[in-house]
Amino acid sequence: MAYMNAPAAPIPLDGEGESRLSFVRQPRSSVNAVSEILAGLASQPKSLSPKFFYDSLGASLFDRITVLPEYYLTRSERDIFKRYESHIAAALGTGRILIEPGSGSSEKVELLLNALRPGAYVPLEITESHVLEASRNLVKRYPWLTVHAICADYTGGMDLPASLPPGQRLLFFPGSTIGNFEPADASRFLREMHRVCGDGGSLLIGVDLRKDEAVLNAAYNDSEGITARFNRNILTHVNRLADADFDIEQFQHMAFFNPIESRIEMHLESLKDQCVRVGAREVQLEAGERIHTENSYKYTVEGFQDVARLAGFTPRETWYDEAGWFSVQLLDA
């Protein structure tokens, strides 16, 4: 990746914390994004990668989703971090290089920063405005913390800048994002995280668990319609990336649990026969045809640990919320 050997540039902060914050941007090719979009829309069934959810509005909408009453995941995971903060800190110790792929607004890592006292924090986030705002806030609130911010699509690999300080690494992957990967892709990504952890490194990961279908379906069909807005906003983002003309009003949000695959599926269903221009191509959709936008796999603890072992990890500890709906698992490389 082109950004790996680029120097990490200080970010102006009016003097406050400037020396403790650096930033690297991974160049992203719009041609590759357009090719990926076109390939997904040419497949059967049609699909779009969930990474295209996250323009600035999409990232903001997802932050709103995490506080919805139906969306138990963030609340359950936060309960685990608060309840077991001292246990997690005792298991990991202090001074590690804390790396968070898909860091978003870095809210969850704040629940652990004081307990873990990392030697450095490395957020990777595809939305530049999100990673910069979060990093600026962190160095202001934590005068002892050094932040090496990276704007990158972490799903393409995590070859980190050589400027990172040495030390045992801790990868932090909360929120059950691992559930958005297809099983084969989850295995590949876990192997990549194992490589990045290095000798003596660890992975602290959130894993959503299989539970009553009514709870799952409600979490992805909230009464305020925020998840529906988030899902349909992917088309607005695709319009900009690929010079497309999707009319989001002609698509409805659909989300449901698929018990055979043990996953929530999110789709956008066309409300009419329509022809959409994507760059120089035309995409035909029939009324009722769906574009598959996301999966969220729900694991058993034992099932996930089997996958992690195949990637080279050794399970060490598992913590649960009070309802037993969610798990935070500590894996050693």
Side-chain angles (χ1 to χ4, degrees), residues 62 65-76 175 218-220 227:
F62 184 73
I65 287 171
T66 63
V67 298
L68 292 168
E70 299 96 335
Y71 195 80
Y72 63 86
L73 291 90
T74 304
R75 190 166 54 252
S76 298
Y220 294 84
T227 309

Side-chain angles (χ1 to χ4, degrees), residues 8-9 38 47 103 131 139 163 189 240 257 260 286 302:
L38 287 170
S47 65
S103 54
V131 74
V139 294
S163 57
F189 186 60
R240 289 197 304 274
F257 183 68
I260 296 174
E286 298 178 358
E302 297 77 13

Side-chain angles (χ1 to χ4, degrees), residues 170-192:
L170 170 64
L171 262 71
F172 181 54
F173 202 54
S176 194
T177 305
I178 194 65
N180 297 140
F181 289 81
E182 292 298 309
D185 293 333
S187 296
R188 282 192 290 270
F189 186 60
L190 284 166
R191 288 195 293 271
E192 170 68 358

Side-chain angles (χ1 to χ4, degrees), residues 230-301:
F230 172 74
N231 194 12
R232 294 199 299 172
N233 182 66
I234 197 172
L235 299 180
T236 303
H237 193 198
V238 165
N239 281 347
R240 289 197 304 274
L241 289 173
D243 187 26
D245 63 356
F246 280 100
D247 180 355
I248 67 171
E249 298 302 324
Q250 298 305 321
F251 292 85
Q252 67 177 354
H253 164 74
M254 295 190 68
F256 53 86
F257 183 68
N258 179 335
I260 296 174
E261 300 291 342
S262 191
R263 71 189 187 194
I264 284 283
E265 296 183 10
M266 289 219 307
H267 301 259
L268 290 167
E269 185 175 89
S270 178
L271 296 176
K272 66 176 185 178
D273 293 345
Q274 54 183 308
C275 177
V276 178
R277 179 184 55 80
V278 183
R281 298 193 190 179
E282 292 185 345
V283 177
Q284 301 287 338
L285 293 111
E286 298 178 358
E289 187 174 0
R290 299 173 184 174
I291 301 173
H292 196 162
T293 54
E294 185 179 63
N295 290 320
S296 184
Y297 283 85
K298 309 305 176 183
Y299 289 91
T300 65
V301 170

